[in-house]
Amino acid sequence: MIPFSILDLSPITEGSDAAQSFRNSLSLAQHGEKLGYRRYWLAEHHGMPGIASAATAVLLAYVGAGTSTIRIGAGGVMLPNHSPLVIAEQFGTLESLYPGRIDLGLGRAPGSDQRTARALRRNLESDADQFPQDVVELMDFMSKAPQQPVRAVPGAGLEVPVWILGSSTFGAQLAAHLGLPYAFASHFAPQQLMQAIQIYRESFKPSAQLQKPHVMLGFNVFVADTDEEAEFRATSWQQAFVNLRSGRPGRLPPPVEGYRQKVGPAENALLDSVLSCSAVGSPARVREGVQAFIERTGADELMITSQVFDHAARLRSYELLAGLRGQA
């Protein structure tokens, strides 16, 4: 079976706080390292009551200090929120601290609402349309022979591996044009998945970083000893997703019995769409779901996210999933 990696939002659960979320994130990264996961990535979001990974580079430094072999990175940094120089310096710092272990995934979404985006940047002059130019500028800052008079210190010469993230065909085209690995957010926006993969693979141009296409796909996994327990644990994420899409973002709620029966047709249709890139159940059921997804997409790697309320159950889910790789 292909490599698995971990995507973490450092969720803040109801009744808890960000400090505990950070301890849980480090625990998850250490757990993933022992289990053989390839990467541990954090996602940048702002103004979200249930997501603690806003200061992504700072949290990665904490995780890096507590791990030793697993690759760590951003999945991703929302580049319109930042100047390319600042990100080159931040990830140059991380690469200097933890050489050979840092990934830099870049997205063009704000990871927030418009008011929060304005507060982040003070104005909105930096927009998503500048994303391709910003990516090229950032890569130049970290190259061995930067073309710009300003130097990223640290950063210059470190060539931190860059990924393009996306949930549409735009990112696929850019990743292919620049010869970069591509990570698709199919775990929450699967609608253009197959089209984006096809465009990326057919249009890919080899680069110094990557000689052939590499596709990593987001995938929701909830594994437990029984189907019933896994379905119960998954309701926390389902509630959070519906609340977010309904304009009511909040902390990750505890699971509830029979959640799908308590919501209306619109909410169930929303969940059905997202669940097309998910596997929920006992190890046997999840193995079938994961294998079917890999066969359908030809993914080179899966980025696994598992928004489980109980931290011990979350660790158990990743543990059970890791055990399936030897059974493929």
Side-chain angles (χ1 to χ4, degrees):
M1 198 175 281
I2 62 175
F4 294 159
S5 293
I6 296 172
L7 177 63
D8 187 12
L9 302 182
S10 199
I12 305 174
T13 58
E14 288 186 9
S16 188
D17 56 20
Q20 184 60 53
S21 298
F22 298 149
R23 290 189 288 270
N24 290 347
S25 288
L26 176 57
S27 170
L28 176 59
Q30 293 169 332
H31 193 60
E33 184 171 79
K34 292 175 183 176
L35 294 170
Y37 284 84
R38 176 173 286 185
R39 312 172 204 277
Y40 169 88
W41 280 10
L42 284 160
E44 176 190 345
H45 291 276
H46 300 277
M48 301 286 190
I51 299 176
S53 52
T56 313
V58 179
L59 187 51
L60 285 172
Y62 169 66
V63 171
T67 53
S68 58
T69 57
I70 193 169
R71 296 193 66 88
I72 60 174
V77 163
M78 300 298 105
L79 196 50
N81 294 336
H82 314 278
S83 78
L85 175 60
V86 167
I87 300 304
E89 291 172 340
Q90 289 179 359
F91 281 79
T93 298
L94 289 168
E95 177 65 23
S96 299
L97 288 168
Y98 314 113
R101 294 179 55 204
I102 303 302
D103 297 323
L104 175 52
L106 300 173
R108 68 174 184 141
S112 62
D113 57 62
Q114 284 292 316
R115 286 185 299 179
T116 306
R118 188 177 297 277
L120 278 167
R121 306 176 219 167
R122 312 308 299 174
N123 61 66
L124 296 179
E125 291 177 6
S126 175
D127 59 42
D129 293 336
Q130 295 177 323
F131 180 63
Q133 293 81 7
D134 287 345
V135 172
V136 171
E137 181 181 351
L138 173 53
M139 293 176 65
D140 181 66
F141 277 129
M142 298 188 297
S143 70
K144 284 188 165 62
Q147 301 300 302
Q148 301 163 85
V150 176
R151 289 291 182 266
V153 182
L158 295 180
E159 296 185 315
V160 175
V162 170
W163 292 65
I164 298 298
L165 278 58
S167 58
S168 69
T169 58
F170 179 91
Q173 293 169 330
L174 180 61
H177 178 73
L178 296 177
L180 298 175
Y182 181 51
F184 190 88
S186 37
H187 59 293
F188 73 86
Q191 291 78 13
Q192 298 186 52
L193 169 61
M194 299 307 296
Q195 183 183 4
I197 293 174
Q198 181 179 1
I199 289 172
Y200 172 67
R201 289 186 172 134
E202 291 179 352
S203 307
F204 183 84
K205 299 177 182 178
S207 69
Q209 179 176 327
L210 192 65
Q211 290 301 300
K212 62 180 183 178
H214 186 93
V215 175
M216 180 161 60
L217 302 179
F219 196 68
N220 299 289
V221 174
F222 301 88
V223 201
D225 294 321
T226 66
D227 292 341
E228 293 75 18
E229 182 187 353
E231 290 167 359
F232 175 67
R233 300 290 182 190
T235 62
S236 292
W237 165 73
Q238 292 168 2
Q239 294 174 75
F241 190 78
V242 168
N243 290 341
L244 177 63
R245 290 296 178 91
S246 303
R248 306 186 309 271
R251 297 188 175 190
L252 187 67
V256 296
E257 294 285 357
Y259 175 68
R260 295 292 299 269
Q261 288 73 47
K262 297 176 182 178
V263 296
E267 291 84 357
N268 274 299
L270 179 66
L271 290 171
D272 285 340
S273 173
V274 180
L275 287 168
S276 66
C277 294
S278 302
V280 181
S282 64
R285 182 198 281 183
V286 167
R287 181 173 60 249
E288 292 179 3
V290 169
Q291 288 178 331
F293 183 71
I294 294 170
E295 291 171 5
R296 176 165 67 92
T297 61
D300 299 299
E301 188 171 344
L302 293 187
M303 179 60 76
I304 305 297
T305 182
S306 187
Q307 295 281 77
V308 176
F309 180 83
D310 180 79
H311 182 60
R314 189 181 190 207
L315 296 181
R316 177 65 172 160
S317 180
Y318 278 103
E319 180 180 349
L320 290 171
L321 178 63
L324 300 181
R325 294 192 68 245
Q327 304 174 25

